Amino acid sequence: MSGDIEREGAPESALDAEIGELIGRLSADEDMDKETRGRLLGRLTRLLSASARRAGVTGVAGGRWLSDMFAYVAPRIPVRDLETLRAHHNGHLGEQLADDLVRVAANGTTAVGAAGGALAAVEFVAPPLLLSVPAQLVAETLVVAAIEVKLIAELHEVYGIQVPGGGSSRAAVFLTSWAKQRGVNPMTGGMTVALGTAAKQALRRRLLRMLGRHLTTLGPFLTGAIAGGTLNRTFTKRLAESVRKDLRRHVGPPIGLAERPRLGPAD
């Protein structure tokens, strides 16, 4: 999903752009080393702190800032097509390729949870940095959500469902899929090109639930890191299984390079 959009009511700023770039990198680099991941998460945390201050207490408290930020970032999450996925996974196809994607995504969210849990624990025991802890949790939440949205989009590629349109319209479809934890049904016809009110509310609720889950990382250093990693892995795999069941029900198992169903006209 690529493309340039503006967050509702505000033009893109250098701050927004760097946040989007960092989340895109953290969600896409499957071989990122621990040190780099921790450094980028730390940078993202500081940028999100600045963005939250700019949004103000009202915007942050109700979750709107969080969901608006993720909707802004989503079109910038790099999603690979089927041929690229095959090339990255030894030519695998079908369920084997889907298994590969789930394993890699689960490893990714585990690593982010471990890094986030460690960072949260360090900051939690240092009073001068206490106010930065919520932003760290937001950073972890947004990166994990981005990895999962990327996974959902690429699973649709594997199962032969192409979502037409540009970055923002495709992102809207996969954000809705992630928020509802469901696969897209190609038999329902055209898909919306923007997030509607119900989808925005579902997205906000899902992000806030995930953020609440990440509060468990605020423990002693080792337990926080372990809890963060384990919880992320469990929920990522659970999400993937739910989406894959839907996709199998809608189009059957992925078979070779058969022609793919399309979802309505391109925007």
Side-chain angles (χ1 to χ4, degrees), residues 111-127:
V112 170
L119 178 60
V122 169
E123 294 187 347
F124 188 65
V125 297

PDB file of all heavy atoms in Angstrom, residues 111-127:
ATOM      1  N   ALA A 111       9.208  -9.670  18.586  1.00  0.00           N
ATOM      2  CA  ALA A 111      10.417  -8.868  18.760  1.00  0.00           C
ATOM      3  C   ALA A 111      10.070  -7.442  19.180  1.00  0.00           C
ATOM      4  O   ALA A 111      10.736  -6.859  20.039  1.00  0.00           O
ATOM      5  CB  ALA A 111      11.229  -8.863  17.468  1.00  0.00           C
ATOM      6  N   VAL A 112       9.021  -6.880  18.590  1.00  0.00           N
ATOM      7  CA  VAL A 112       8.608  -5.528  18.965  1.00  0.00           C
ATOM      8  C   VAL A 112       8.122  -5.517  20.408  1.00  0.00           C
ATOM      9  O   VAL A 112       8.431  -4.602  21.184  1.00  0.00           O
ATOM     10  CB  VAL A 112       7.503  -5.007  18.020  1.00  0.00           C
ATOM     11  CG1 VAL A 112       6.902  -3.708  18.553  1.00  0.00           C
ATOM     12  CG2 VAL A 112       8.070  -4.794  16.625  1.00  0.00           C
ATOM     13  N   GLY A 113       7.357  -6.530  20.801  1.00  0.00           N
ATOM     14  CA  GLY A 113       6.877  -6.606  22.174  1.00  0.00           C
ATOM     15  C   GLY A 113       8.009  -6.742  23.169  1.00  0.00           C
ATOM     16  O   GLY A 113       7.989  -6.130  24.239  1.00  0.00           O
ATOM     17  N   ALA A 114       9.019  -7.538  22.814  1.00  0.00           N
ATOM     18  CA  ALA A 114      10.160  -7.704  23.707  1.00  0.00           C
ATOM     19  C   ALA A 114      10.934  -6.402  23.844  1.00  0.00           C
ATOM     20  O   ALA A 114      11.310  -5.996  24.939  1.00  0.00           O
ATOM     21  CB  ALA A 114      11.065  -8.819  23.193  1.00  0.00           C
ATOM     22  N   ALA A 115      11.163  -5.740  22.709  1.00  0.00           N
ATOM     23  CA  ALA A 115      11.887  -4.464  22.745  1.00  0.00           C
ATOM     24  C   ALA A 115      11.078  -3.409  23.482  1.00  0.00           C
ATOM     25  O   ALA A 115      11.611  -2.639  24.293  1.00  0.00           O
ATOM     26  CB  ALA A 115      12.194  -4.005  21.325  1.00  0.00           C
ATOM     27  N   GLY A 116       9.782  -3.380  23.207  1.00  0.00           N
ATOM     28  CA  GLY A 116       8.924  -2.411  23.868  1.00  0.00           C
ATOM     29  C   GLY A 116       8.815  -2.674  25.360  1.00  0.00           C
ATOM     30  O   GLY A 116       8.844  -1.748  26.170  1.00  0.00           O
ATOM     31  N   GLY A 117       8.714  -3.937  25.737  1.00  0.00           N
ATOM     32  CA  GLY A 117       8.627  -4.277  27.145  1.00  0.00           C
ATOM     33  C   GLY A 117       9.885  -3.891  27.892  1.00  0.00           C
ATOM     34  O   GLY A 117       9.840  -3.387  29.019  1.00  0.00           O
ATOM     35  N   ALA A 118      11.033  -4.105  27.261  1.00  0.00           N
ATOM     36  CA  ALA A 118      12.293  -3.733  27.892  1.00  0.00           C
ATOM     37  C   ALA A 118      12.393  -2.223  28.055  1.00  0.00           C
ATOM     38  O   ALA A 118      12.783  -1.713  29.106  1.00  0.00           O
ATOM     39  CB  ALA A 118      13.461  -4.261  27.061  1.00  0.00           C
ATOM     40  N   LEU A 119      12.024  -1.489  27.008  1.00  0.00           N
ATOM     41  CA  LEU A 119      12.086  -0.031  27.071  1.00  0.00           C
ATOM     42  C   LEU A 119      11.118   0.511  28.117  1.00  0.00           C
ATOM     43  O   LEU A 119      11.447   1.404  28.891  1.00  0.00           O
ATOM     44  CB  LEU A 119      11.762   0.552  25.695  1.00  0.00           C
ATOM     45  CG  LEU A 119      11.732   2.080  25.572  1.00  0.00           C
ATOM     46  CD1 LEU A 119      13.088   2.659  25.931  1.00  0.00           C
ATOM     47  CD2 LEU A 119      11.344   2.490  24.152  1.00  0.00           C
ATOM     48  N   ALA A 120       9.914  -0.043  28.152  1.00  0.00           N
ATOM     49  CA  ALA A 120       8.923   0.417  29.121  1.00  0.00           C
ATOM     50  C   ALA A 120       9.411   0.181  30.544  1.00  0.00           C
ATOM     51  O   ALA A 120       9.236   1.014  31.422  1.00  0.00           O
ATOM     52  CB  ALA A 120       7.594  -0.298  28.890  1.00  0.00           C
ATOM     53  N   ALA A 121      10.024  -0.972  30.765  1.00  0.00           N
ATOM     54  CA  ALA A 121      10.496  -1.293  32.111  1.00  0.00           C
ATOM     55  C   ALA A 121      11.588  -0.340  32.548  1.00  0.00           C
ATOM     56  O   ALA A 121      11.606   0.135  33.680  1.00  0.00           O
ATOM     57  CB  ALA A 121      11.002  -2.733  32.140  1.00  0.00           C
ATOM     58  N   VAL A 122      12.512  -0.041  31.650  1.00  0.00           N
ATOM     59  CA  VAL A 122      13.591   0.885  31.974  1.00  0.00           C
ATOM     60  C   VAL A 122      13.026   2.254  32.318  1.00  0.00           C
ATOM     61  O   VAL A 122      13.412   2.889  33.299  1.00  0.00           O
ATOM     62  CB  VAL A 122      14.578   0.992  30.798  1.00  0.00           C
ATOM     63  CG1 VAL A 122      15.548   2.154  31.027  1.00  0.00           C
ATOM     64  CG2 VAL A 122      15.350  -0.304  30.639  1.00  0.00           C
ATOM     65  N   GLU A 123      12.070   2.718  31.515  1.00  0.00           N
ATOM     66  CA  GLU A 123      11.518   4.039  31.749  1.00  0.00           C
ATOM     67  C   GLU A 123      10.614   4.059  32.979  1.00  0.00           C
ATOM     68  O   GLU A 123      10.529   5.053  33.686  1.00  0.00           O
ATOM     69  CB  GLU A 123      10.743   4.506  30.514  1.00  0.00           C
ATOM     70  CG  GLU A 123      11.657   4.714  29.304  1.00  0.00           C
ATOM     71  CD  GLU A 123      10.946   5.338  28.123  1.00  0.00           C
ATOM     72  OE1 GLU A 123       9.704   5.384  28.147  1.00  0.00           O
ATOM     73  OE2 GLU A 123      11.627   5.777  27.194  1.00  0.00           O
ATOM     74  N   PHE A 124       9.963   2.927  33.252  1.00  0.00           N
ATOM     75  CA  PHE A 124       9.040   2.884  34.372  1.00  0.00           C
ATOM     76  C   PHE A 124       9.757   3.038  35.708  1.00  0.00           C
ATOM     77  O   PHE A 124       9.204   3.589  36.655  1.00  0.00           O
ATOM     78  CB  PHE A 124       8.275   1.548  34.344  1.00  0.00           C
ATOM     79  CG  PHE A 124       7.157   1.483  35.336  1.00  0.00           C
ATOM     80  CD1 PHE A 124       6.060   2.318  35.230  1.00  0.00           C
ATOM     81  CD2 PHE A 124       7.200   0.570  36.376  1.00  0.00           C
ATOM     82  CE1 PHE A 124       5.011   2.243  36.143  1.00  0.00           C
ATOM     83  CE2 PHE A 124       6.154   0.501  37.301  1.00  0.00           C
ATOM     84  CZ  PHE A 124       5.070   1.336  37.170  1.00  0.00           C
ATOM     85  N   VAL A 125      11.000   2.551  35.790  1.00  0.00           N
ATOM     86  CA  VAL A 125      11.723   2.647  37.052  1.00  0.00           C
ATOM     87  C   VAL A 125      12.546   3.928  37.133  1.00  0.00           C
ATOM     88  O   VAL A 125      13.261   4.143  38.103  1.00  0.00           O
ATOM     89  CB  VAL A 125      12.671   1.431  37.243  1.00  0.00           C
ATOM     90  CG1 VAL A 125      11.858   0.155  37.307  1.00  0.00           C
ATOM     91  CG2 VAL A 125      13.714   1.370  36.138  1.00  0.00           C
ATOM     92  N   ALA A 126      12.454   4.773  36.135  1.00  0.00           N
ATOM     93  CA  ALA A 126      13.189   6.047  36.142  1.00  0.00           C
ATOM     94  C   ALA A 126      12.181   7.183  36.185  1.00  0.00           C
ATOM     95  O   ALA A 126      11.617   7.558  35.168  1.00  0.00           O
ATOM     96  CB  ALA A 126      14.069   6.152  34.891  1.00  0.00           C
ATOM     97  N   PRO A 127      11.879   7.753  37.353  1.00  0.00           N
ATOM     98  CA  PRO A 127      10.842   8.775  37.493  1.00  0.00           C
ATOM     99  C   PRO A 127      10.921   9.931  36.496  1.00  0.00           C
ATOM    100  O   PRO A 127       9.890  10.363  35.989  1.00  0.00           O
ATOM    101  CB  PRO A 127      11.036   9.255  38.935  1.00  0.00           C
ATOM    102  CG  PRO A 127      11.604   8.069  39.635  1.00  0.00           C
ATOM    103  CD  PRO A 127      12.501   7.408  38.638  1.00  0.00           C
TER     104      PRO A 127
END
